[in-house]
Amino acid sequence: QVQLMESGGASVQAGGSLRLSCAGSKSFRSSSKCVAWFRQAPGEEREGVASIYAGGDSTNYADSVKGRFTISQDNAKNTVYLQMNSLKPEDTALYYCAATLFSFIDCGINERNYKNWGQGTQVTVSS
C-alpha cells in the first residue's frame, strides 16, 4: 500500500486559511482509485470532508465545507491537497488523509471505503 503523510496543520484565527498536504510514497494513480480527507474533533465522530479521483479530477465534498474547501492533486508530486478557506472554530479537528484500495463508481466520503490511512495533522481554529 502507498504510505501517506499529512502536513500543513496549524493554529489559525477564524476566517483564515490553511493548505493541507497528503504526500504518498508512490503514485496515487497507480496504487489507489480515490484519495480523501476526513476529520475528527474531540468527542465527535469522524467525518468525511472531501475526496478526489486519483485518475482524474472528480471531487466530492461534505455539505459543511462546500464553497470553503477545495481538494486537488499534483500527480507529479504524488500529493493531494486540501485548501481550506474561511475557517471556522467548528473546523477544529485532527485531519486525516486516506486512500481506497479498490475501484468505486464514485469516490465519495464513506469512511468504510477507505482502508489506507495517514497519521493525521492537527488544525485548530480560534474565534
Side-chain angles (χ1 to χ4, degrees):
Q1 297 181 17
V2 59
Q3 301 298 308
L4 308 177
M5 181 175 290
E6 304 95 331
S7 63
S11 296
V12 299
Q13 297 289 327
S17 298
L18 284 174
R19 189 190 194 192
L20 306 184
S21 297
C22 174
S25 59
K26 58 182 179 180
S27 171
F28 285 118
R29 294 187 65 176
S30 64
S31 62
S32 303
K33 298 299 182 181
C34 307
V35 181
W37 288 94
F38 294 82
R39 65 186 183 186
Q40 187 167 24
E44 303 291 335
E45 296 183 0
R46 188 150 50 218
E47 173 189 26
V49 177
S51 67
I52 188 167
Y53 174 53
D57 293 316
S58 179
T59 59
N60 201 350
Y61 296 93
D63 289 341
S64 60
V65 306
K66 286 182 179 178
R68 299 190 299 121
F69 291 10
T70 302
I71 188 170
S72 62
Q73 63 184 335
D74 186 335
N75 291 323
K77 297 181 178 180
N78 298 330
T79 300
V80 170
Y81 303 99
L82 184 68
Q83 178 67 46
M84 305 185 295
N85 298 325
S86 301
L87 284 163
K88 305 174 181 179
E90 50 263 45
D91 294 318
T92 295
L94 185 64
Y95 283 71
Y96 297 92
C97 177
T100 62
L101 302 179
F102 306 101
S103 297
F104 294 91
I105 297 175
D106 294 306
C107 289
I109 48 175
N110 186 338
E111 181 178 344
R112 291 180 296 180
N113 294 337
Y114 293 83
K115 305 298 182 182
N116 188 11
W117 294 75
Q119 295 298 312
T121 185
Q122 179 66 42
V123 172
T124 301
V125 184
S126 60
S127 60

